[in-house]
Amino acid sequence: MMSVFTSYPWYFTIFCIAAGLAYAAVLYYKNANEEFSKKTLYGLSVLRFVSVFLISFLLLSPFIKMQRKQVEQPLVLVLQDQSESLKLNDPKQFNVNQWPSLFDELQNQLSSKYEVISMGLGDRLSETPDFTYPDKTTNIASAFDELAITYENRNIGAVVLISDGIYNMGENPLYAYQKLGHPLYTVALGDTTPKKDIRIQRVNHNRYAFLGNKFPLEVEISADKVRNENVKLRVSTGGKQVFEQELAIDRDPFFVQIPLQLQAEKEGVQRYTISVSSLKDELTTKNNVKDILVEVIDGRQQILLLAAAPHPDLGAIKNSIETNERYEVKVAMLDDFSGKLSEYNMLILHQIPSTKGRSATALLTELQNKHIPAWFLIGLQTDINALNTLNLGLQMQVRNAQPNDAYPALNEQFSMFGIPDGLSSTTNMFPPLQTAFAKYTTSENAQVLFVQKVLGVKTSDPLLLITQTPYAKYAFTIGEGMWKWRLQEFAQKNETGAFDQLTSKLVQLLSVQDDKRPLRVTAMPVYRENETVEMDAELYNEAFEFVPNAEIQMQIKNAEGTKYDFQFTAGAQNYHLNAGFFPAGEYTYEASATHSGKKYRMQGRFMVAAVDIESLRLTADHQLLYTMSKRYGGAMFEPTQIKELVKAIEARDDVRPVIYARKTYKELIQSKLLFTIIVLLLSAEWFIRRYEGSY
């Protein structure tokens, strides 16, 4: 359907007709002579009238409105589980080699009436199913979320979920499917009968251990159909067995937790292999072995918390920092301290320098000379004048000795570290700190984490900020009473996570040593085998200026010596590499770059940890599939009931085509056809006049 309308009232068309008639009349009747025949005169008049009419009609800005009907066939989304648990199951109950042909049959039968889109389901949603079942985890809920976004406002007739019902990531798919809400049909794969199997269910361990110390492990072992059997639990690292224990399985089902202690003998990321001996006719031995990675650190970072006088802040900060086992905090009073600052990675100075007690001049001089990072907690007893003379990036001019109650207001633009989860909401409940009324001047490179909010008004005055000199970083908390923050968070949330993360990130930022190498590569020490190996790199010249658009090569080598070559992609402030997925194992890498005739290299290592979640649960959950399909208006079918599934979808009255009316608008002045017609009309008139001997 097509119609024409203009930007002006339709009666304006009369003026266009009048203009055409006037042009024709004046030219061919008022000035008529005997040089044209009557027939020719009428023909020329019509040509002139039509061309003038069309040209004047275009001045009304006419539009063409076209309306077309578009039929959208019902869409059937087919989700095929491609997680590893399917191929680990008993082939007598579910043969993975036979299912692809049945899947093709399902697609072909549905395609005769519907638009069918088939996808793979596992770690993530993939465009096509992979019948080698490679995925290491199953996240059905995230697939539903992605479908709800991708196919919003589409004519979805039904969703077919083909799975064993086992999920080990994400929320319960029974509730996650509410976002889609379309009829859900399920095809139940796998076997619901428990089989003979013993497995390492979980290994609980710390991420870090300290060189020369013992660290704890807790191994959880479960078994089905293995009663009255004996097995051995072993732990080994670097080819050396470090633990062995015999277990008697005396019940079915069986579950036990075994605590043990291991010695951290080597620095770096260490792989520990926990295994339990396999049994005859066991369903799978893949879940009999589990690797864990523990980073062994050569000693904790030492932090000195030095105070002018006892204060509740000291205990709160010490306990908070030591929730991260990489740090050890020593608390001392300035009057009693006689140690060496060089023994510590950083200092926390509570109201030092102070207006009372022992002078801290020598200590602060040593702090500056040895470039030791420090966190200054400024209180009402702090000697502000002495602090200003240090020139650490903060200057204060106290205007009134009376303290202010300053509430913290988070600066969302802070970028020196990631703001801990929940800190934004937790900040609003923090009590005020007692601060002096002062004028603040900060260095250009200072970043403010909290500003002061006084009497409900958010000011620009800093409450917690970080500054940086060429040699070290410094933090300043302008106020005392941080212990109330931790206490308030515990009272409100029964935890202190946000406050503890805040102190840990501050300490980590201050204590880390600046990397002065020209070529730097940032890589994770451990990756999971179902996540991509990604790295960042930076290249600096001799003036430590960032070098853009350089070529940085990366070579990764596995334990067998196989090499993989990559190149970093240049960004605005760094270089990035996505090397893709790697199998579980140990890898070394070497990055190389050339700049101004000089070659730079950096070496490192990382490990890829195996993901074996799928092997921990192999008994299919058909009850979940049945409940989901019933709740959302569908039904559950066996793999051999493909025809019944197709008939069930075809029998639905609500799975039908949708007709859309699509409207499009086009300015008539842009029509090439109309332009051609006007040119032809004027050309024809000119040609006839010339042919008749006129001008």
Side-chain angles (χ1 to χ4, degrees):
M1 182 183 296
M2 184 175 69
S3 58
V4 179
F5 67 97
T6 71
S7 302
Y8 298 89
W10 271 106
Y11 63 79
F12 274 49
T13 310
I14 298 173
F15 299 110
C16 300
I17 297 172
L21 291 172
Y23 265 88
V26 168
L27 185 61
Y28 292 109
Y29 288 93
K30 184 177 179 181
N31 299 319
N33 51 46
E34 296 181 355
E35 59 183 283
F36 298 129
S37 66
K38 193 172 184 179
K39 185 178 180 180
T40 302
L41 190 65
Y42 283 147
L44 291 171
S45 299
V46 170
L47 291 174
R48 176 55 60 102
F49 166 74
V50 175
S51 60
V52 172
F53 168 75
L54 291 176
I55 293 171
S56 54
F57 183 68
L58 291 177
L59 297 177
L60 301 181
S61 302
F63 287 83
I64 300 176
K65 179 174 73 173
M66 292 175 287
Q67 183 170 308
R68 297 178 181 176
K69 290 184 179 179
Q70 184 176 352
V71 179
E72 183 181 2
Q73 294 297 329
L75 186 64
V76 177
L77 304 176
V78 181
L79 302 181
Q80 168 64 50
D81 189 345
Q82 58 184 34
S83 60
E84 196 177 38
S85 62
L86 285 171
K87 68 180 178 183
L88 295 177
N89 223 310
D90 188 352
K92 296 177 183 178
Q93 304 298 326
F94 172 64
N95 194 320
V96 293
N97 297 320
Q98 294 177 357
W99 172 246
S101 61
L102 294 174
F103 181 85
D104 290 340
E105 180 183 343
L106 172 64
Q107 281 197 120
N108 294 334
Q109 293 190 27
L110 288 173
S111 298
S112 62
K113 287 191 175 182
Y114 311 110
E115 180 185 353
V116 180
I117 298 179
S118 299
M119 290 162 281
L121 166 69
D123 296 337
R124 57 189 65 81
L125 206 58
S126 56
E127 293 183 357
T128 56
D130 187 341
F131 291 102
T132 63
Y133 307 98
D135 286 6
K136 302 295 183 180
T137 59
T138 309
N139 193 336
I140 301 176
S142 71
F144 290 160
D145 292 342
E146 189 171 340
L147 290 180
I149 296 172
T150 305
Y151 296 96
E152 186 180 11
N153 299 324
R154 291 290 303 273
N155 181 25
I156 299 177
V159 177
V160 179
L161 173 63
I162 304 171
S163 174
D164 55 9
I166 301 173
Y167 69 95
N168 40 49
M169 299 290 286
E171 64 176 303
N172 190 329
L174 179 64
Y175 307 109
Y177 192 78
Q178 292 175 354
K179 300 168 186 176
L180 279 166
H182 303 286
L184 176 65
Y185 292 86
T186 57
V187 178
L189 305 182
D191 185 13
T192 58
T193 306
K195 297 294 190 299
K196 184 177 182 179
D197 186 36
I198 185 168
R199 55 197 169 271
I200 299 175
Q201 194 74 27
R202 181 183 300 173
V203 179
N204 300 313
H205 64 96
N206 294 333
R207 180 180 174 185
Y208 302 103
F210 297 99
L211 187 64
N213 292 353
K214 287 188 175 182
F215 62 95
L217 288 183
E218 185 179 67
V219 183
E220 297 181 2
I221 298 176
S222 60
D224 294 310
K225 307 297 182 184
V226 193
R227 191 170 184 174
N228 298 324
E229 297 269 10
N230 292 325
V231 296
K232 287 186 177 181
L233 171 67
R234 298 183 177 91
V235 181
S236 60
T237 180
K240 175 185 175 183
Q241 183 173 304
V242 294
F243 179 84
E244 180 178 286
Q245 180 176 328
E246 187 167 322
L247 299 176
I249 302 175
D250 56 0
R251 55 192 180 277
D252 184 33
F254 177 80
F255 177 80
V256 66
Q257 292 177 319
I258 303 174
L260 54 108
Q261 297 274 334
L262 298 180
Q263 187 80 19
E265 298 179 346
K266 188 177 179 182
E267 187 179 359
V269 178
Q270 305 301 321
R271 180 202 298 269
Y272 290 86
T273 301
I274 297 94
S275 63
V276 61
S277 50
S278 57
L279 301 170
K280 184 179 180 181
D281 299 327
E282 192 175 353
L283 176 61
T284 179
T285 59
K286 185 178 177 65
N287 52 20
N288 291 39
V289 180
K290 188 173 181 65
D291 289 337
I292 65 167
L293 300 172
V294 177
E295 186 173 354
V296 179
I297 303 168
D298 188 7
R300 301 183 182 186
Q301 285 203 333
Q302 300 297 314
I303 299 171
L304 174 62
L305 176 49
L306 198 59
H311 196 280
D313 282 349
L314 308 181
I317 292 173
K318 179 181 187 298
N319 293 335
S320 177
I321 295 174
E322 289 187 339
T323 57
N324 187 329
E325 57 190 9
R326 300 191 66 172
Y327 303 111
E328 182 176 351
V329 181
K330 178 182 178 180
V331 179
M333 297 296 113
L334 178 61
D335 289 343
D336 303 327
F337 179 71
S338 58
K340 297 180 179 179
L341 297 186
S342 57
E343 297 175 353
Y344 301 93
N345 299 97
M346 69 163 289
L347 303 182
I348 302 176
L349 302 177
H350 190 274
Q351 303 212 59
I352 295 176
S354 176
T355 56
K356 299 181 179 180
R358 175 183 168 185
S359 171
T361 303
L363 180 142
L364 296 174
T365 301
E366 184 180 359
L367 178 144
Q368 285 187 295
N369 291 340
K370 295 185 177 179
H371 313 307
I372 302 173
W375 177 8
F376 291 86
L377 299 167
I378 301 172
L380 301 179
Q381 304 300 323
T382 300
D383 188 341
I384 302 299
N385 292 329
L387 184 63
N388 289 338
T389 60
L390 298 176
N391 294 317
L392 299 180
L394 173 67
Q395 297 289 315
M396 296 175 56
Q397 295 180 8
V398 178
R399 296 177 174 177
N400 193 327
Q402 288 297 110
N404 276 333
D405 282 343
Y407 290 85
L410 187 64
N411 173 24
E412 300 289 351
Q413 305 303 315
F414 183 83
S415 60
M416 283 191 167
F417 55 73
I419 296 176
D421 295 338
L423 185 60
S424 298
S425 58
T426 307
T427 301
N428 297 327
M429 69 176 67
F430 282 165
L433 302 184
Q434 285 195 311
T435 64
F437 180 66
K439 178 183 178 181
Y440 302 90
T441 304
T442 60
S443 58
E444 291 184 359
N445 60 1
Q447 284 206 35
V448 177
L449 178 60
F450 294 126
V451 296
Q452 298 182 23
K453 186 166 65 174
V454 181
L455 299 176
V457 178
K458 186 176 179 180
T459 70
S460 60
D461 294 337
L463 187 67
L464 198 161
L465 75 156
I466 292 95
T467 66
Q468 185 169 358
T469 69
Y471 308 103
K473 297 185 183 74
Y474 301 94
F476 299 88
T477 299
I478 305 170
E480 55 182 282
M482 288 187 73
W483 65 274
K484 298 177 184 177
W485 290 5
R486 195 167 194 257
L487 189 64
Q488 181 70 11
E489 184 184 2
F490 184 81
Q492 295 288 332
K493 297 185 174 183
N494 202 33
E495 63 173 24
T496 58
F499 183 85
D500 294 344
Q501 286 187 62
L502 170 63
T503 57
S504 180
K505 284 180 175 289
L506 269 176
V507 169
Q508 183 178 356
L509 175 67
L510 297 176
S511 60
V512 68
Q513 297 295 318
D514 290 337
D515 192 346
K516 297 297 184 182
R517 291 171 295 182
L519 177 61
R520 312 169 193 177
V521 175
T522 304
M524 297 283 290
V526 180
Y527 298 89
R528 290 159 57 96
E529 65 176 327
N530 63 340
E531 67 178 347
T532 56
V533 173
E534 299 190 38
M535 303 179 183
D536 291 316
E538 299 168 87
L539 181 63
Y540 294 89
N541 59 23
E542 293 181 356
F544 286 100
E545 298 170 327
F546 178 74
V547 178
N549 303 320
E551 290 189 1
I552 302 181
Q553 309 296 329
M554 169 62 73
Q555 185 176 87
I556 299 176
K557 185 167 63 175
N558 64 15
E560 290 74 35
T562 305
K563 298 177 181 179
Y564 307 90
D565 294 319
F566 303 93
Q567 182 170 318
F568 282 87
T569 302
Q573 294 296 327
N574 67 353
Y575 296 81
H576 184 72
L577 170 65
N578 184 337
F581 299 95
F582 279 77
E586 300 183 27
Y587 297 85
T588 59
Y589 64 83
E590 180 177 274
S592 59
T594 302
H595 177 65
S596 298
K598 292 186 177 181
K599 292 185 177 181
Y600 302 98
R601 297 183 183 276
M602 179 178 174
Q603 296 178 332
R605 63 190 294 265
F606 64 88
M607 302 185 74
V608 177
V611 178
D612 53 8
I613 299 177
E614 288 290 311
S615 64
L616 299 181
R617 183 183 172 195
L618 298 176
T619 303
D621 190 351
H622 290 178
Q623 182 61 46
L624 173 64
L625 299 176
Y626 176 82
T627 304
M628 290 175 65
S629 58
K630 283 298 182 184
R631 173 173 291 192
Y632 296 106
M636 186 180 80
F637 296 89
E638 295 295 326
T640 55
Q641 296 178 303
I642 297 302
K643 294 181 179 179
E644 289 82 351
L645 169 59
V646 175
K647 288 179 180 179
I649 297 176
E650 291 177 344
R652 298 187 68 98
D653 294 332
D654 54 352
V655 182
R656 55 181 181 267
V658 175
I659 299 176
Y660 297 98
R662 185 177 181 183
K663 296 178 181 179
T664 58
Y665 297 89
K666 182 179 180 180
E667 289 182 312
L668 202 56
I669 198 171
Q670 296 179 351
S671 172
K672 294 180 180 180
L673 176 61
L674 184 60
F675 175 78
T676 303
I677 291 172
I678 293 173
V679 171
L680 290 174
L681 289 170
L682 293 173
S683 300
E685 182 186 1
W686 177 84
F687 179 80
I688 293 171
R689 288 172 63 89
R690 294 287 293 174
Y691 184 79
E692 295 291 336
S694 181
Y695 293 97

